[in-house]
Amino acid sequence: MDFGLTADQQMLAETARQVLSVEAPPRTVRRIADDPQGFSPELNRKIAEQGWFGLLVPESHGGLGLGMLDAAVILAELGRSLAPVPFLSSGVLATSLLLAAGSTPQKKAWLPRLASGEAFATVAWLEESERLDATGIALRARRARDRLRLSGAKRFVVDAQQADLLLVAVRTGSGTGPAGVTLVLVPRDTPGVSVVPLPSIDRTRRFFEVSFDDVAIAPSQVLGAEGKAWRHLEALLDVASVAIAAESQGGAERALEMAVEYSKVREQFGRPVGSFQAVKHMAAECVALVEPSRSLVWYAAWAQQEIPKDAARAASMAKARLSDVYSRVANVAVQMHGGIGFTWEHDMHFWFKRAKQSETWFGEPAWHRERVARASGW
Amino acid sequence: MDLSFSKEDEEYRREVRAWLRKNLPKRADDDEGGELTVADPERIARAKAWQRKLFDAGYVAIGWPKEHGGQGAGIVRQAILNEEMVLARAPAPIGMMGVQMLGPTLIALGTPEQKERFLPPILTADELWCQGYSEPGSGSDLASLKTRAEVDGDFFVVNGQKVWTSTAQFADWMFCLVRTDPQAPKHKGISYLLIDMRSPGITVRPLVQMTGQAGFNEVFFDNVRVPRKNLVGRLNEGWLVANATLSHERNMLASTTRTQQLMSDLLRLAKRRSRHGVSVLRDPVARQRLADLQIRVESMKYHSLKQLSDGIHGRSAGIGASVNKLVTTELNHDICAAALEILGSHAGLSRTSPHVEDRGVWPIDWMFTLGMIIGGGTSQIQKNIIAERGLGMPRGA
Ligand SMILES: Cc1cc2nc3c(=O)[nH]c(=O)nc-3n(C[C@H](O)[C@H](O)[C@H](O)COP(=O)(O)OP(=O)(O)OC[C@H]3O[C@@H](n4cnc5c(N)ncnc54)[C@H](O)[C@@H]3O)c2cc1C
């Protein structure tokens, strides 16, 4: 037994921090945040060179064949830097889903391209109801001879503007339960697909509404077995929860560091504001939130790989906790900056907004706590 | 990351579990909450017998080196033993201040004679220890302490007063901070002495705590003679030794075993109680609160595994002990507060009341856990340490 990162994982973290500090320093993040498109092909290429997009892809499909804890290491670094790259959307969520549900030809067709960063994919799951149970999948695909025909919309599709492929959750059977949920692969340039931005407070992560106007789906585009996809989405919820928690851990650590650095140089009353005890205690309380939560994230990531029976509970514990922790720490970090922290010009607000966006996405903390309660048999 | 256990370790777990099942004392009469404050002779005798039994079975201080009576056990065995103790709801050994605070300090900094003389009875609970740090004028500002020790031949002569000294009323020995050089700057004139509580000139006056139990004491020293060989570390360098003990203390107070035990007791309570006609576990607000506590408890559980692993790999704990102390003591108190809320008007009923739940431990533990937020360095002091030593924020103000 050994609780912690391996030497390789520590190296991965160091390399990632180094690469991101060079390729995605705050001014680059800000430039992309100001960009109407909200992404940078050049930055994506730099990240692709690192091989991260193929981190979860097996070596046989051109990836690194690593696991969720390795992904969590990268996600924490991306959460620190806020680099707007489609790692979570394509490298983690879409890749996990393709791996779990895809047929061999589907994997062959897409995984190598996703791994190399030549193409990106994203998952279109949420709808107006935002329900995270099977009933939330209400977008119906009608059968018309050997095709499915899709009309309706998905919300909060992350990075859809740069995705080549959409993995869309639809309902093919009758009813509203788990049976009849199907995943389909829809290239974004398919006629009838439109992608409309959902401008939000977090400019470093873009959400879109994706609409389908009588889009035809061939049998080869159905991911795995028709009507049987719910269990894959349920597992994906755990992956998403851990991924967002890992990002949040990194973000909280960075926000706190920035605030502490600032408190050492900003002077009032003739001395650094960091020498005031009220300020010290705010920072120390953040340490008390951030330090133990890192271990929770690592455990949750590990559970996805190695402890399937605890994977759901662990993921929800991490998502609930890190949502609370990140939002709190980012709030304190803004306060420790005083007025400058409230400006558009200072970078602090990027973390503050990301924290809130992440807290509410893929299940707010209360929803995850309830899930923990159920998973604990209460 | 590797959370799997070897065959041998699984075997060890089965052994511990079987042993505990067979040997666990009946708790019903014994558990008054606030476990470190036991103050009646029969209860003490029973608690000593329990530690002795644990020791004979090889379940005390298993992380200590073999030559000092431990087993040199690695983190895995320690974690397994802890977990099984929690699952069995086994009481902790009574001599925790010796086992967890003084013992490790002596192993690191004591003379060979001191180790030989003092370690064995710590393990067997034949000698219980108390901690003589705080004084009426020196609490958070511990280094301002005034209890004086003057050298007289082969002895120190100690005069002064300690206060809030837990278990001094029945402890056999005290590890004690005294001022040996009043001229030196405050951190540089302190020494660390081991004092026999039966020495002439010592008066112990119990102080009743808010729980109603006499858990801590005033201790007066009137020309108490302490052999020079009972000095730990060098003369006037006691502050270093004291700090070694303090970080052990913070980790002891931050025991995740205790926290997990409290949490599982809380869940048992929640399972059998209802409020306003709804069973607690069906109430969405209660579920939220319980889940939040559970998540914080688990987070500390994994964090303690991480810290144990860090220790094995020689990674420094930094201010980890302060974070643990701060987080765990407040978490323990929150768990108890949740229990009182579940109990409603029954919450305050004492042990002797009819209709009392869980033998009245919840209100006692609720108070006791607040005491632990203050003892061992208050939460505010821990925050100062975290900010200044951990984050490098400027001193002053
Ligand atoms: C149940 C219990 C058991 C104990 N057992 C022992 C024992 O066995 N042996 C022993 O030696 N001692 C023991 N203590 C004493 C304990 O260590 C002290 O009470 C503690 O260190 C605080 O000191 P004080 O009581 O003098 O409070 P003070 O230091 O007077 O503190 C009063 C308030 O001021 C705050 N404060 C003080 N200084 C600062 C600062 N620099 N910055 C911010 N806030 C500050 C404190 O946080 C607190 O809120 C025990 C205490 C309790 C409650």
Side-chain angles (χ1 to χ4, degrees), chain A residues 277, chain B residues 131 133-134 139-140 164 166 216 371-372 374-376 378 380 384:
Chain A
Q277 202 171 54
Chain B
Q131 175 187 32
Y133 281 18
S134 305
S140 298
W164 322 132
S166 302
F216 50 32
M372 293 301 97
I374 299 166
T378 65
Q380 291 69 42
N384 291 348

Side-chain angles (χ1 to χ4, degrees), chain A residues 1-6 9-10 69 256 260 263-264 271-277 279-281 283-285 287-289 291-296 298-299 302 307 310 313 316-318 320-321 324 336 365-370 372-374 376-378, chain B residues 1-5 9 75-76 79 263 267 271 281-282 284 286-296 298-307 309-310 313 315 319 323 326-327 379-384 386-388 391-397:
Chain A
M1 206 205 54
D2 186 13
F3 195 101
L5 300 181
T6 60
Q9 286 162 337
Q10 287 170 38
L69 185 53
L256 177 60
V260 169
S263 79
K264 292 177 187 173
R271 57 184 202 230
V273 294
S275 69
F276 294 111
Q277 202 171 54
V279 176
K280 283 182 193 166
H281 285 198
E285 283 158 18
V287 172
L289 293 175
E291 283 294 312
S293 66
R294 185 183 308 114
S295 302
L296 185 61
W298 288 353
Y299 173 73
W302 183 248
I307 317 172
D310 202 26
R313 192 187 70 110
S316 279
M317 288 200 299
R321 187 64 184 158
D324 287 343
M336 282 175 66
W367 187 83
H368 281 284
R369 279 192 290 270
E370 176 55 32
V372 169
R374 263 178 287 132
S376 305
W378 305 348
Chain B
M1 187 78 90
D2 176 10
L3 301 183
S4 67
F5 294 98
D9 289 332
I75 62 161
V76 181
M263 188 67 208
L267 287 170
K271 273 180 194 141
L281 284 187
R282 295 268 75 77
R287 289 168 73 82
Q288 284 290 315
R289 185 162 180 188
L290 291 168
D292 184 52
L293 289 168
Q294 177 75 39
I295 292 166
R296 288 159 63 197
E298 297 242 354
S299 175
M300 284 314 286
K301 175 176 143 190
Y302 301 121
H303 193 51
S304 75
L305 289 180
K306 172 181 179 287
Q307 290 175 319
S309 301
D310 284 352
H313 293 292
R315 290 192 283 268
I319 38 98
V323 175
L326 174 63
V327 174
S379 282
Q380 291 69 42
I381 293 299
Q382 305 308 328
K383 288 176 195 174
N384 291 348
I386 293 166
E388 288 169 8
L391 300 174
M393 293 171 82
R395 282 173 178 277

